[in-house]
Structure formats: structure tokens, C-alpha cells
């Protein structure tokens, strides 16, 4: 951080600022300009706590230089991280696919979706047992029974299970059944929930908030990591814009930005990102081309009968086609040496 002093700041004013910096165990460096002086703070800015230099005499403004997130930042961790979820590696160069219905509706529906996902080459089964629905009258999920079906489907197929946790109270329950905890878009800044999943001992899939900036998203990851859990994977799922044709606007530039700003892997969810099954395949391919570490795709044995998100769910046949394309695209990129720039 640098503190820009008023042109009329006195030597006492500068001394007072330096004293505050030293009191917090940090170093100060004064830079003389022609009209103005600037005080640089050297060291970990977190030590400053809530100090507001702006309220001190002779201070014009402050400018943050380093990022407020440290653990999630590539600055302090140049090597890309590979996150191991019960033996499946996310971020090692092979795209990982998480597929399944929006919601767990019944044992039969889930098992069918799991079998289809497994046969097509997905590594994860997704499905919500606790659904964050806009209307309280919409299907809310099977709750713990849904978690039990997910665990049974894992036994049956060997797929890893990722499922959403919507409340702090449910964290331990969901962690007892799932391999990976999903924090949904609507909870991305539920700081109590972020801290709780940070303590739960399971990897976390952190979806981007509906209106979250990248900085807010990265700081949400920081909350989880700050509790001692380094295993966080981002999931871009579209943001709200003025466009109404699609459910959300899928921000694929976030893949490149997150890869530059963070060492953590990022996957893309073109289902919630577009809200339209027809757009899932092209956006899935684009995500892989952009360097995403994987995909989350909603697929339902019978989308027309889905209790939630049917319009964006792929049929098993379409899902198979997406998987075939993703495999070919990824193999082609590898064989041709097409590698998105990451840390540069
Ligand atoms: C989901 O993946 O089921 C879901 C509700 O997604 P999002 O939080 O991105 O809306
Ligand atoms: Mn859904």
C-alpha cells in the first residue's frame, strides 16, 4: 500500500503516518516527488488491520498495491495447484467432468444419470440434495435422503460426488457423504458458510456469485483457505448482465483472468451459464479451448420431466456428444502443443 500525502503535508504529518506503520510492525519508505511525498508500506498489509490513514492529517489518499487475497494469489504461489478429490486430480492437464441432474429426484433417476455419466467418461456425479430455489414453493431437494442416494451412486459407479451445501448447519452432514462440497452462486459471499466449509476437511467447489467481481470471488476463496483448507476449485457459472436471452452471461474471460491471478484450478458450468441446453456444447468446447480445468454439466435421463433446470439439461445422447468432443478437443490441443498462457 502507498499513502499519498497532501502537497501541504508537514514533516509532523509524515512522521505520524510512519509511526503508525512502525507500531504495526511494518516498514515505511518515504518517496519524494516534486510537489508531493508518498509513504510506502512494506510488509504484510494484513498487519494494518482497520487503520484508516485517510483520516490522518496531511493524508490525501491511499492506494492498494498488493492484493487483499494472499493464499489464493499466484503472486505468492507461482506454481499451479492440482487439487486431489478422493484420487481424482483437478488441474493436472486432463479436463475433469462433473455431470448429473440439477437435483437428486429419486434413486432411479440418480442411478440412471450416474451410469450414463460414468459410461461417457465423467469423473464426478453432481446433483443437489439441498436446492437453493428462487421460489419457496419450488422443489427444495430430498435433503439427507438425497445425500444417501448420492453415496449409493458412488458405491455403484466409483464416481466422485460433488453436491451443494446451503447452510452452516448442514456442512458436517453434507461432508459425511460428499467427496467435494459445492458452495453455490447465491452463497459465494456467505462468509459464515465459507468459514464452515474451510473447516470441514473436504475440497470445495466455489461457484462465482451472480454479480461477483473476480476480486470478490478470489477473496471468497481466501476465506476458505484462511481456515486451513487449501483445496479450492473455482467454477465460472455466468453472471447477471442486461442480456435476457440467456439465463446468465457466461464469462469465459474469467478463466484466463483467474489463471493469471490465482494458482487454483477453475472449471466452467455452461448449463447455468446459459440456461439453454443448445448452448451447452459450444460453450463447453470454448471453455476447454480457453484453458478451463474441467466442466460441470447438467444432464438428466429425461430433461422434459426434470423437477428443476430441465431447459438447460442435456439428454444422455447430447451429453455423450459433448464428452466425445471434449475428449477430442483436449487431445488435439495437447498433441498440437496448444497451451493457454497461464502465469505469464
Ligand atoms: C447448481 O449447480 O445446482 C446450482 C444451483 O448452481 P448455481 O449456484 O451456479 O446457480
Ligand atoms: Mn441447476
Amino acid at each position: 500500500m502507498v499513502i499519498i500525502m497532501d502537497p501541504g503535508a508537514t514533516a509532523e504529518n509524515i512522521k505520524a503516518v510512519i509511526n503508525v506503520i512502525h507500531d504495526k510492525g511494518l516498514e515505511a519508505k518515504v518517496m519524494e516527488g516534486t510537489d508531493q511525498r508518498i509513504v510506502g508500506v512494506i510488509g504484510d498489509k494484513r498487519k494494518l488491520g482497520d487503520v484508516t490513514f485517510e483520516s490522518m492529517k496531511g493524508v490525501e489518499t491511499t492506494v492498494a498495491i498488493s492484493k487483499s487475497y494472499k493464499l489464493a494469489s499466484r503472486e505468492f504461489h507461482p506454481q499451479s495447484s492440482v487439487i486431489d478429490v478422493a484420487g481424482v486430480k483437478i488441474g493436472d492437464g486432463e479436463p475433469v467432468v462433473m455431470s448429473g441432474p440439477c437435483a437428486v429426484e429419486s434413486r432411479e433417476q440418480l442411478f440412471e444419470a450416474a451410469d450414463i455419466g460414468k459410461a461417457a467418461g465423467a469423473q464426478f456425479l453432481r446433483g443437489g440434495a439441498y436446492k437453493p430455489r428462487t421460489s419457496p414453493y419450488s422443489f427444495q431437494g430430498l435433503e439427507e435422503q438425497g445425500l444417501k442416494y448420492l453415496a449409493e451412486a458412488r458405491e455403484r459407479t466409483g464416481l466422485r460426488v460433488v453436491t451443494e451445501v446451503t447452510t452452516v448447519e448442514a456442512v458436517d452432514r453434507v461432508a459425511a457423504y460428499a467427496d467435494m462440497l459445492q458452495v453455490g452462486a447465491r452463497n459465494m459471499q456467505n462468509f459464515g458458510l465459507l468459514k464452515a466449509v474451510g473447516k470441514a476437511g473436504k475440497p470445495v467447489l466455489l461457484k462465482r456469485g451472480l454479480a461477483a467481481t473476480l476480486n470478490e470471488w478470489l477473496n471468497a476463496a481466501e476465506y476458505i483457505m484462511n481456515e486451513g483448507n487449501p483445496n479450492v476449485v473455482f467454477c465460472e457459472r455466468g453472471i447477471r448482465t442486461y442480456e435476457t436471452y440467456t439465463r446468465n452471461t457466461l464469462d469465459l474471460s474469467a478463466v484466463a483472468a483467474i489463471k493469471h491471478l490465482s494458482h487454483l484450478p477453475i472449471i466452467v458450468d455452461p448449463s447455468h451459464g446459459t440456461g439453454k441446453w443448445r448452448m451447452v456444447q459450444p460453450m463447453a468446447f470454448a471453455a476447454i479451448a480457453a484453458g478451463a480445468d474441467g466442466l460441470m454439466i447438467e444432464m438428466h435421463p429425461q430433461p422434459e420431466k426434470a423437477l428443476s433446470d430441465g431447459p438447460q439439461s442435456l439428454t444422455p445422447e447430447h451429453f455423450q456428444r459433448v464428452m466425445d468432443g471434449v475428449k477430442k478437443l483436449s487431445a488435439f490441443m495437447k498433441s498440437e502443443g496448444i497451451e493457454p498462457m497461464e502465469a505469464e
Side-chain angles (χ1 to χ4, degrees):
M1 171 194 267
V2 293
I3 298 143
I4 300 167
M5 305 300 296
D6 278 333
T10 64
E12 285 73 46
N13 296 155
I14 296 176
K15 186 84 188 93
V17 166
I18 292 171
N19 284 345
V20 170
I21 297 168
H22 286 168
D23 284 351
K24 295 286 177 186
L26 295 160
E27 276 182 56
K29 189 168 167 49
V30 181
M31 288 158 272
E32 301 275 347
T34 37
D35 306 316
Q36 260 174 321
R37 273 153 302 177
I38 290 173
V39 184
V41 182
I42 300 160
D44 187 346
K45 207 187 87 186
R46 285 179 289 189
K47 286 190 186 163
L48 286 175
D50 286 331
V51 172
T52 48
F53 290 104
E54 285 89 344
S55 59
M56 294 181 72
K57 273 207 181 104
V59 173
E60 189 171 293
T61 188
T62 61
V63 179
I65 302 291
S66 63
K67 305 186 169 67
S68 53
Y69 52 90
K70 304 269 179 220
L71 301 169
S73 171
R74 204 185 267 282
E75 227 169 70
F76 300 93
H77 192 299
Q79 195 74 22
S80 294
S81 286
V82 176
I83 306 298
D84 188 311
V85 184
V88 172
K89 295 191 165 43
I90 307 179
D92 75 345
E94 281 304 319
V96 164
V97 178
M98 306 179 179
S99 75
C102 180
V104 180
E105 298 170 4
S106 68
R107 180 191 261 119
E108 296 66 38
Q109 171 245 21
L110 188 69
F111 282 12
E112 211 180 328
D115 290 348
I116 294 159
K118 174 76 181 176
Q123 292 84 357
F124 280 78
L125 173 64
R126 62 142 290 141
Y130 298 87
K131 291 306 301 175
R133 304 304 299 280
T134 299
S135 161
Y137 308 120
S138 301
F139 176 59
Q140 300 287 309
L142 298 182
E143 304 190 340
E144 190 157 9
Q145 188 58 57
L147 296 175
K148 288 183 177 158
Y149 292 154
L150 284 163
E152 277 186 58
R154 171 179 46 216
E155 294 309 312
R156 180 185 168 94
T157 57
L159 291 169
R160 306 303 184 264
V161 165
V162 57
T163 193
E164 179 164 353
V165 55
T166 52
T167 59
V168 172
E169 303 79 66
V171 168
D172 289 340
R173 203 174 320 132
V174 177
Y177 294 97
D179 298 299
M180 187 175 213
L181 305 176
Q182 178 172 322
V183 173
R186 289 153 194 82
N187 272 314
M188 192 209 81
Q189 281 192 315
N190 179 340
F191 300 115
L193 184 63
L194 296 176
K195 287 182 191 172
V197 298
K199 293 192 192 101
K202 289 277 163 92
V204 177
L205 184 69
L206 179 62
K207 292 194 121 189
R208 182 173 180 183
L210 279 79
T213 63
L214 297 178
N215 188 57
E216 289 162 342
W217 197 12
L218 287 153
N219 275 291
E222 191 79 5
Y223 265 92
I224 299 168
M225 299 174 89
N226 195 36
E227 297 300 326
N229 185 352
N231 300 314
V232 179
V233 175
F234 291 106
C235 179
E236 163 62 41
R237 48 78 70 206
I239 47 172
R240 279 273 164 84
T241 66
Y242 48 78
E243 182 54 67
T244 54
Y245 176 70
T246 45
R247 181 177 180 182
N248 291 291
T249 297
L250 185 64
D251 178 14
L252 286 179
S253 76
V255 174
I258 290 288
K259 285 280 173 193
H260 177 67
L261 295 169
S262 177
H263 55 93
L264 298 170
I266 175 168
I267 70 163
V268 171
D269 170 356
S271 306
H272 294 90
T274 63
K276 294 184 184 305
W277 68 266
R278 283 177 200 282
M279 297 182 74
V280 170
Q281 187 227 39
M283 291 301 99
F285 292 175
I288 297 300
D293 297 296
L295 298 162
M296 172 170 265
I297 294 178
E298 285 189 342
M299 174 264 287
H300 195 287
Q302 290 170 288
E304 69 285 0
K305 296 208 173 130
L307 296 183
S308 63
D309 287 351
Q312 69 192 33
S313 298
L314 294 184
T315 61
E317 295 70 32
H318 283 134
F319 178 66
Q320 181 69 55
R321 275 165 58 185
V322 173
M323 287 301 284
D324 291 345
V326 164
K327 269 181 230 157
K328 282 187 190 152
L329 182 57
S330 156
F332 175 76
M333 286 173 69
K334 241 188 223 127
S335 71
E336 297 298 317
I338 301 168
E339 242 182 283
M341 287 181 269
E342 291 193 356
E344 290 162 54

